[in-house]
Amino acid sequence: MVDTQLRARGICDPRVLAAMLAVPREEFVDEALRDDAYGDWPLPIGGGQTISQPYTVAFMAEAAELRGDEKVLEVGTGSGYGAAVLSQLGAVVHTIERIPALARRALSTLARLRFSNVHVHLGDGSLGLVEESPFDVIVVTAGAASLPPSYTDQLAEGGRIVMPIGKCKSSQHLYRFRNQHGALSIDDLGTFAFVPLIGDEGWRAT
Ligand code: SAM
């Protein structure tokens, strides 16, 4: 996976590659899907949601430019895999999921595998997680039509937000926002397809 899916497509941060090697992806998917765990595609995790393909997880982690001392918010816990990867790269990770069954299962997987610097929260992550803010990095694994104002409010000086945004629910561009002295700079990192961010500052549930 690391050579053929990540290095070959330009992921080169050695810390990100090491994190992708360290986290056992097969532990975050259903027993029946374990043989497919390292495939170059997303996999279903229940509740109509998916665990992103390894390349997408690594790309977002690299874009977050983590050095090891950051407080991170991940929005969209899903299986817990992305949070586990981020936990290898930052100091502490808060991850929030809106679907109770997914949050419960991710909590139990992360505890069993002893990812002790990951904290799982249940709630509407389109509002961020104000009680734990400010964050150095916010990684959002579901797409919205625009950047939720709560994220900019909860971002530390010098902080980054990595988030898919698009006017269609199922196709977005991935953006990196950087807070530089109170102003946001924006990098467009290309086209991706994520599930929708459902919530008060995201899409309406249908
Ligand atoms: N990071 C996950 C993993 O490693 O398995 C994959 C996340 S999946 C692509 C996106 C997740 O975002 C889904 O689990 C979905 O339920 C969640 N989600 C969507 N809207 C949300 C919201 N407002 N707050 C929290 N989670 C949300």
Side-chain angles (χ1 to χ4, degrees):
M1 171 189 80
V2 164
D3 283 335
T4 58
Q5 296 175 39
L6 307 184
R7 272 203 192 94
R9 288 191 196 138
I11 305 291
C12 57
D13 182 333
R15 296 185 71 241
V16 171
L17 295 169
M20 294 298 289
L21 270 176
V23 178
R25 187 170 161 92
E26 68 278 10
E27 298 290 342
F28 293 84
V29 300
D30 276 348
E31 195 84 42
L33 296 174
R34 282 193 168 196
D35 288 350
D36 263 359
Y38 292 90
D40 191 14
W41 46 80
L43 291 171
I45 54 173
Q49 305 302 319
T50 54
I51 176 175
S52 302
Q53 73 193 95
Y55 173 71
T56 304
V57 176
F59 188 92
M60 293 182 90
E62 192 168 75
E65 298 177 341
L66 290 155
R67 294 293 165 254
D69 58 355
E70 296 90 349
K71 185 174 188 181
V72 180
L73 173 65
E74 183 201 38
V75 178
T77 311
S79 66
Y81 175 71
V85 170
L86 294 170
S87 80
Q88 305 294 289
L89 298 166
V92 61
V93 177
H94 290 272
T95 179
I96 181 164
E97 172 58 53
R98 65 181 283 271
I99 300 179
L102 292 180
R104 273 197 302 275
R105 185 165 165 199
L107 177 61
S108 124
T109 307
L110 290 161
R112 177 167 53 78
L113 299 175
R114 300 186 198 288
F115 285 99
S116 54
N117 62 341
V118 181
H119 306 279
V120 179
H121 303 259
L122 177 64
D124 177 5
S126 76
L127 301 171
L129 188 62
V130 70
E131 61 271 30
E132 294 293 344
S133 66
F135 297 100
D136 302 301
V137 165
I138 300 177
V139 173
V140 188
T141 68
S146 58
L147 179 65
S150 294
Y151 296 171
T152 40
D153 292 347
Q154 294 172 31
L155 190 64
E157 169 58 36
R160 280 88 62 205
I161 300 170
V162 177
M163 176 176 184
I165 295 179
K167 62 180 179 356
C168 303
K169 261 190 178 176
S170 56
S171 152
Q172 305 90 7
H173 274 227
L174 190 65
Y175 292 96
R176 176 176 49 216
F177 301 88
R178 209 185 289 274
N179 179 6
Q180 287 168 320
H181 311 297
L184 279 189
S185 68
I186 308 177
D187 298 315
D188 183 341
L189 306 177
T191 309
F192 283 81
F194 285 85
V195 297
L197 180 76
I198 307 287
D200 283 0
E201 294 187 24
W203 296 97
R204 259 194 232 143
T206 47

